[in-house]
Amino acid sequence: QKEVEQNSGPLSVPEGAIASLNCTYSDRGSQSFFWYRQYSGKSPELIMSIYSNGDKEDGRFTAQLNKASQYVSLLIRDSQPSDSATYLCAERGSGGSYIPTFGRGTSLIVHP
Amino acid sequence: DTGVSQNPRHKITKRGQNVTFRCDPISEHNRLYWYRQTLGQGPEFLTYFQNEAQLEKSRLLSDRFSAERPKGSFSTLEIQRTEQGDSAMYLCASSDPSGRQGPRWDTQYFGPGTRLTVL
């Protein structure tokens, strides 16, 4: 059974700092990786997708993928209190499947 | 707003009752997914449609659950004889990988969810 592991946190960082969120996955065949942000009581919102080894940057967000080590990370630079949310990591694509496997999420708290 | 919509947003029901939820995907999205999410967990896949065809169902999906997408547009999810363990947020997502093939390019957009409470 495919697994996506995330530390549930909470991860607490001061405003303006870099928040680093990590995720490991079990299936070497996974092709696509996603980070979603979910505010309390709301639905997940896609932040980043990454398919190739290395870094992908989008504004204050950088996703990093290392397929050899089977981990994905999300860096949030200049963290703001509005970034406080749960961040879900998901993988998909093993065996041609469209069905993602989500981690349980990491709670991030950015304090002023 | 052309995002995914779900109705109702909240549903409270008594154990043993049937409930039905509706999802309207983003226009022209041919794939539609249903998930269930409980507190402290990530979304758990339930079932998935491509157009009107239901292509995959989770092994965790009880036979009390049924989903339809009769015209390839909106979808309904029905839970019969609800149990307290069915209390959760039910999420719908849609996607359209037009022009590209394969799950690598399939970006799913979630609706606001329907929160079900079974008393």
Side-chain angles (χ1 to χ4, degrees), chain A residues 45-99:
Chain A
E45 172 193 11
L46 181 67
I47 298 175
M48 297 278 290
S49 57
I50 187 166
Y51 313 118
S52 304
N53 277 327
D55 295 359
K56 179 180 178 183
E57 186 174 320
D58 184 1
R60 295 187 297 113
F61 299 97
T62 298
Q64 299 174 318
L65 173 59
N66 184 323
K67 289 188 177 181
S69 299
Q70 295 178 243
Y71 85 78
V72 193
S73 63
L74 179 70
L75 301 178
I76 306 174
R77 290 180 299 281
D78 188 25
S79 296
Q80 301 297 311
S82 59
D83 295 326
S84 298
T86 295
Y87 289 80
L88 298 165
C89 173
E91 65 81 34
R92 194 183 63 224
S94 176
S97 173
Y98 286 86
I99 310 306

Side-chain angles (χ1 to χ4, degrees), chain B residues 34-108:
Chain B
W34 285 100
Y35 297 88
R36 175 173 61 191
Q37 187 177 24
T38 54
L39 192 63
Q41 302 296 320
E44 173 188 40
F45 168 74
L46 294 178
T47 190
Y48 140 60
F49 292 84
Q50 181 164 321
N51 299 313
E52 66 275 9
Q54 188 173 18
L55 296 188
E56 194 165 338
K57 291 170 60 174
S58 168
R59 286 170 292 180
L60 301 175
L61 198 63
S62 156
D63 58 6
R64 296 184 297 105
F65 288 69
S66 62
E68 295 183 341
R69 194 183 184 197
K71 297 183 180 179
S73 56
F74 73 92
S75 176
T76 58
L77 177 69
E78 180 182 18
I79 309 174
Q80 296 182 325
R81 305 181 303 280
T82 52
E83 302 172 356
Q84 288 183 326
D86 297 330
S87 296
M89 174 78 88
Y90 288 83
L91 295 164
C92 175
S94 70
S95 68
D96 174 26
S98 59
R100 292 173 167 171
Q101 298 299 316
R104 187 175 190 179
W105 309 107
D106 188 58
T107 299
Q108 298 180 18

